[in-house]
Amino acid sequence: MSIWWSLHLRREAASVPLARRLLLGTMETAGVDPDVSYELSVALTEACANAVEHGGDTGCGPASEAYRVTAYLDGETCRIEVADSGPGFAGTGCLTASAGPDAESGRGLRLIEELADHVHFGRTGRGGALVSFDKIVKWRTDAPLALT
């Protein structure tokens, strides 16, 4: 069995915990191992926070007020995509720069890379940023949706 859902969220800080709780609830109901669920929820939180902060600053025209989160749980893989209509990622420079030890931001993309098995930073068809990541799922022994 597979599960997928998609949310269209306002670029407001309050939307981030909503996406995280929905993901955690889905994972718990499906029977995903709590450690895997937690790691994916932290990565999702970072991607959503990035979309809220940077997702509509195009510099040309009105800022977008929304972003999209889509999650797929299929077989042994969970894939999450967060897309916005901001300026996107300019090359790889923003991905290789590391935040200094006293920086208050700038670590989210690196954290996503550490928590997920595969990560892609790119652009949407409309030029916004797209962060997609996936992780191999471990199931609880009593998981109702686990493949046997």
Side-chain angles (χ1 to χ4, degrees):
M1 179 184 286
S2 64
I3 300 170
W4 73 271
W5 50 260
S6 187
L7 299 171
H8 187 81
L9 299 165
R10 293 184 64 80
R11 284 185 50 237
E12 297 173 353
S15 69
V16 177
L18 173 65
R20 182 179 173 129
R21 281 192 296 261
L22 181 59
L23 177 68
L24 285 170
T26 302
M27 299 295 218
E28 181 180 0
T29 301
V32 173
D33 178 81
D35 291 336
V36 171
S37 298
Y38 177 75
E39 290 175 357
L40 283 167
S41 73
V42 171
L44 174 64
T45 298
E46 293 298 332
C48 289
N50 197 59
V52 167
E53 185 173 346
H54 305 291
D57 305 327
T58 62
C60 50
S64 170
E65 303 229 355
Y67 67 103
R68 181 179 38 85
V69 176
T70 306
Y72 308 89
L73 182 57
D74 190 18
E76 295 182 355
T77 304
C78 180
R79 165 164 269 184
I80 298 172
E81 298 176 352
V82 178
D84 62 46
S85 57
F89 297 103
T92 58
C94 67
L95 303 179
T96 58
S98 60
D102 296 330
E104 292 187 23
S105 64
R107 295 183 184 91
L109 299 180
R110 284 281 183 220
L111 189 55
I112 294 168
E113 289 176 323
E114 291 298 319
L115 293 170
D117 294 328
H118 179 263
V119 181
H120 173 74
F121 301 105
R123 291 181 170 266
T124 66
R126 292 179 262 150
L130 174 66
V131 177
S132 66
F133 53 94
D134 52 65
K135 189 166 186 72
I136 301 300
V137 173
K138 288 190 267 179
W139 300 93
R140 294 187 327 248
T141 56
D142 64 340
L145 299 181
L147 299 175
T148 55

